[in-house]
Amino acid sequence: MSNQSGLRKFKLGDLLVESKEITPEQLQLALNTQKDQGGKLGDVLVNLGIMSEWNLAHALSRQLNIPFLDLKKHSIKPEIIQKIPERLARRYRVILLDIVDGNYLVGMADPTDLVAYDELTRKLTGNIKIAIVIEADLLHLFDVVYRKTEEITSFAAALKEEMVQSEEQVAQVDTISADAAPVVKLLNSIFEDAVQVSASDVHIEPDEKILRIRQRVDGVLQEHILPGKEIISALVLRIKLMSNMNISEKRLPQDGRFAVQVKDHNIDVRVAIMPVHFGEAVVLRLLDQAKGILKLEQLGMETKMMERVRQLIHQPNGMILVTGPTGSGKTTTLYAVLSELNSIEKKIITIEDPVEYVLPRVNQVQVNPAINLNFSDVLRSAVRHDPDIIMVGEMRDEETVRIGLRAAMTGHMVYSTLHTNDAISSTVRLMDMGAEGFLVAGALRGVIAQRLVRKVCDNCGTHYTPTEQEKVWIKGFTGHEHGSFNFKKGIGCSRCNNSGYRGRMGIYEFLEISPELADTLRANDSNKFIHTAQAQKDFKTLGQAAFECAIAGNTTLTEVFRITGDLV
């Protein structure tokens, strides 16, 4: 075994004092603190604010003649990293980054830790080249690479073995043995993995011979396959018990919810169970209550559009619709609007399915079709409760549309959502649902259509030249050559789990109902309405908004195509 620096025993504090990175007094303070509180000296120095992690790493790099490696910019190779077990990697703060011709590149947070180095030499049969890395980046990379897949597989195997008992015995564990039960451990591990990667949904789907667990991260599904589907019955039973569902009903879909704590996150879980060919499929939507409700200015709208929207939402009456497919952020937008309007002077009633976030001072009603408590019934009752503002979760049927429009014309401000592809087609959809043109013209104030696009990773994003197909599209869409624009894409790094994307942002299309547009609605002239709307000053389609987002380097052309499709 060899290492480029010839590691020998160093005392970190003496090294830093000798190089004048810290004073003897600062070292003594850190040693005293370490004696009282424990921990590594480097961590103590950082926690006391004597040194930053960056300065500490670079100081060690200079003094020990060991190269510094920035994990944020390093392209990760999960299959190589996982050659060192997670337990060993986390214990000694080491990570295997590359293998070239039998030489191992290993990142270490503390290269003076000879115990860690000795463990490496026992684990790796070849020459070891050390690089210094920042510990916080290292811990983040652990969470990205060392997913819970092995743990989930292990608990699934344990549950399969225990399935010799009846399903009810497996799933209906009592509170004393709950933490030790394989089905509980498996579910907890699934939730921890989902929270670790900021998944919005978890899909548990039985196939003919396997069980799929898929997570939606930044709008895109990732898959983990478990051998055998035998455990699905115990998993579903446990979830039904947690959600207060009918455990004997396996032929009909059921909905429910429960709360769970994952590490320091309080997660509200919305559950949907549906019978499929090989059993019952489960979708768990995860709502992290710690993230809270966004403010209007945090949605990502252009400044001019946000000012126009803000003027409209403060009107005393009328209807504003937010449209888009499932998962496009409509509810987030409505909650941001309600958060701004929520005050002592205004009475707000919401009708939701389900209630996602609890708002103070707001009367929130959850519909319950099982007892015929639907949107139209609650809306009819809500109007009699003297509200200033009504939020209807979705315009689903003709009766709800009619009551909502009439409420908007009789002194109430009504907000709701609609499933349409763009803002312009929303009025046509309302009339297709039975609303008269004059009613829509008198009540509707504006429509916001939206999508969520994945953002280029701010850590590994780099400029790139579009493909030949993209060049043709750009020329056709804009009339300009691709050279007029600077596009970016992520090359993949530890921060984005090698995807090139990190986080999502909203793109918006806003249509304000002008007097001219209202006249076309009264005349039931859909074609003229569409042409007049498209000709409105400052009107921008979702496709244009998405393309501008790509021009700004916030997303990629691939993502624009994926999200907008024929909207461009």
Side-chain angles (χ1 to χ4, degrees):
M1 304 290 172
S2 67
N3 173 53
Q4 78 276 14
S5 64
L7 280 179
R8 60 187 186 276
K9 191 169 184 178
F10 287 99
K11 282 192 174 182
L12 177 61
D14 294 340
L15 193 69
L16 294 174
V17 170
E18 182 182 332
S19 61
K20 297 184 178 179
E21 299 290 343
I22 63 174
T23 66
E25 292 76 18
Q26 289 174 321
L27 172 59
Q28 191 58 50
L29 173 62
L31 289 172
N32 292 339
T33 304
Q34 183 188 33
K35 185 178 179 181
D36 293 337
Q37 300 178 4
K40 291 188 175 183
L41 182 60
D43 294 337
V44 175
L45 288 167
V46 172
N47 292 336
L48 289 174
I50 295 174
M51 297 187 76
S52 68
E53 285 191 298
W54 181 270
N55 290 337
L56 177 62
H58 279 78
L60 288 172
S61 175
R62 289 191 298 270
Q63 294 305 310
L64 299 176
N65 195 28
I66 299 175
F68 169 79
L69 191 147
D70 188 354
L71 288 178
K72 290 180 181 178
K73 301 187 182 301
H74 186 77
S75 182
I76 63 172
K77 301 174 181 178
E79 68 282 0
I80 288 179
I81 292 175
Q82 291 172 3
K83 288 183 181 296
I84 293 182
E86 180 181 6
R87 177 189 56 79
L88 188 67
R90 287 188 182 275
R91 180 177 179 183
Y92 294 109
R93 300 293 194 261
V94 297
I95 192 161
L96 179 58
L97 297 169
D98 208 352
I99 305 174
V100 180
D101 298 329
N103 296 308
Y104 297 92
L105 174 61
V106 177
M108 294 184 70
D110 181 6
T112 67
D113 188 344
L114 290 183
V115 176
Y117 184 71
D118 288 342
E119 284 293 328
L120 284 174
T121 59
R122 280 194 285 270
K123 183 69 180 174
L124 306 175
T125 56
N127 293 326
I128 299 175
K129 184 179 180 181
I130 300 296
I132 295 176
V133 298
I134 292 176
E135 186 167 356
D137 295 339
L138 182 64
L139 295 176
H140 173 79
L141 187 51
F142 287 158
D143 289 340
V144 169
V145 176
Y146 293 113
R147 298 281 297 275
K148 299 288 183 179
T149 50
E150 287 188 17
E151 188 176 281
I152 289 171
T153 303
S154 173
F155 289 146
L159 177 58
K160 188 175 179 180
E161 288 182 14
E162 199 178 79
M163 289 291 289
V164 293
Q165 304 177 43
S166 68
E167 294 175 8
E168 285 75 11
Q169 286 177 315
V170 171
Q172 298 187 56
V173 291
D174 57 42
T175 55
I176 297 175
S177 61
D179 291 341
V183 66
V184 177
K185 286 183 176 180
L186 177 56
L187 271 176
N188 288 343
S189 191
I190 290 172
F191 284 130
E192 286 177 13
D193 190 49
V195 170
Q196 192 166 293
V197 295
S198 300
S200 59
D201 303 84
V202 176
H203 299 242
I204 303 174
E205 304 164 338
D207 210 328
E208 184 176 6
K209 295 181 179 179
I210 60 173
L211 177 63
R212 302 179 192 276
I213 297 180
R214 301 200 284 173
Q215 299 170 326
R216 192 175 294 280
V217 181
D218 288 339
V220 178
L221 286 171
Q222 302 175 355
E223 185 174 79
H224 175 51
I225 294 177
L226 295 176
K229 66 181 182 68
E230 296 86 353
I231 64 172
I232 184 65
S233 55
L235 268 176
V236 171
L237 185 56
R238 179 65 183 171
I239 291 170
K240 284 181 178 178
L241 286 167
M242 296 172 72
S243 310
N244 293 316
M245 294 183 186
N246 181 356
I247 63 173
S248 62
E249 180 56 75
K250 299 181 180 181
R251 302 164 301 167
L252 297 173
Q254 295 191 68
D255 296 323
R257 68 191 303 168
F258 61 87
V260 64
Q261 184 162 0
V262 182
K263 295 182 178 178
D264 58 343
H265 295 261
N266 291 317
I267 306 296
D268 189 23
V269 184
R270 287 165 47 185
V271 184
I273 297 179
M274 178 175 64
V276 293
H277 186 57
F278 294 108
E280 291 178 279
V282 182
V283 176
L284 307 170
R285 173 155 289 187
L286 312 181
L287 301 171
D288 191 343
Q289 300 297 324
K291 292 182 179 179
I293 299 169
L294 295 181
K295 296 184 181 298
L296 200 59
E297 53 269 20
Q298 294 176 306
L299 294 178
M301 289 184 185
E302 292 180 351
T303 303
K304 284 186 178 180
M305 182 185 294
M306 189 180 69
E307 290 174 353
R308 290 165 60 202
V309 169
R310 184 165 265 146
Q311 289 175 355
L312 273 191
I313 66 173
H314 284 281
Q315 295 292 315
N317 56 69
M319 176 182 285
I320 294 178
L321 294 175
V322 182
T323 78
T326 301
S328 59
K330 301 186 297 296
T331 304
T332 299
T333 299
L334 284 177
Y335 270 109
V337 169
L338 292 180
S339 180
E340 173 150 332
L341 298 174
N342 191 4
S343 65
I344 298 173
E345 295 81 14
K346 296 186 182 296
K347 175 158 183 172
I348 302 175
I349 297 176
T350 70
I351 308 161
E352 306 174 63
D353 183 21
V355 174
E356 294 193 5
Y357 293 98
V358 176
L359 292 166
R361 209 184 294 111
V362 175
N363 294 272
Q364 295 174 269
V365 182
Q366 180 165 319
V367 299
N368 187 352
I371 58 172
N372 293 320
L373 185 66
N374 51 43
F375 280 109
S376 57
D377 293 327
V378 181
L379 180 55
R380 189 181 294 106
S381 177
V383 172
R384 295 194 288 269
H385 279 252
D386 188 31
D388 298 290
I389 297 166
I390 303 172
M391 191 270 274
V392 185
E394 184 183 344
M395 290 291 175
R396 290 183 179 175
D397 54 70
E398 179 179 346
E399 190 175 8
T400 305
V401 170
R402 286 177 178 274
I403 298 171
L405 288 171
R406 293 192 182 280
M409 293 184 69
T410 55
H412 307 91
M413 197 68 199
V414 179
Y415 301 94
S416 190
T417 70
L418 202 61
H419 287 277
T420 59
N421 286 332
D422 54 44
I424 293 176
S425 62
S426 298
T427 54
V428 178
R429 176 64 59 81
L430 287 176
M431 290 190 284
D432 286 345
M433 293 174 72
E436 296 89 343
F438 72 88
L439 202 56
V440 178
L444 193 61
R445 298 287 180 262
V447 184
I448 302 168
Q450 65 181 77
R451 297 288 191 280
L452 294 175
V453 296
R454 291 184 293 172
K455 295 192 295 184
V456 172
C457 176
D458 54 5
N459 186 59
C460 66
T462 184
H463 294 283
Y464 85 106
T465 302
T467 64
E468 292 303 317
Q469 184 178 356
E470 289 172 339
K471 290 177 184 177
V472 172
W473 182 86
I474 294 167
K475 182 73 179 290
F477 185 61
T478 67
H480 299 289
E481 297 290 343
H482 73 278
S484 309
F485 312 112
N486 290 316
F487 297 106
K488 290 177 70 176
K489 69 175 181 179
I491 59 175
C493 66
S494 64
R495 289 281 163 177
C496 60
N497 199 16
N498 264 10
S499 68
Y501 298 98
R502 191 176 179 212
R504 290 190 291 177
M505 64 183 296
I507 55 169
Y508 300 91
E509 174 181 299
F510 178 58
L511 178 65
E512 190 170 355
I513 306 300
S514 63
E516 293 79 16
L517 286 175
D519 288 341
T520 64
L521 289 173
R522 292 188 185 94
N524 289 318
D525 192 338
S526 298
N527 289 330
K528 188 175 181 181
F529 175 85
I530 292 171
H531 292 309
T532 306
Q534 291 173 337
Q536 266 195 337
K537 183 182 177 182
D538 296 329
F539 178 74
K540 189 181 299 179
T541 66
L542 277 170
Q544 290 170 324
F547 186 68
E548 289 180 4
C549 190
I551 291 174
N554 293 322
T555 192
T556 64
L557 286 172
T558 302
E559 187 69 359
V560 172
F561 299 147
R562 185 183 74 84
I563 292 296
T564 60
D566 60 355
L567 295 176
V568 296

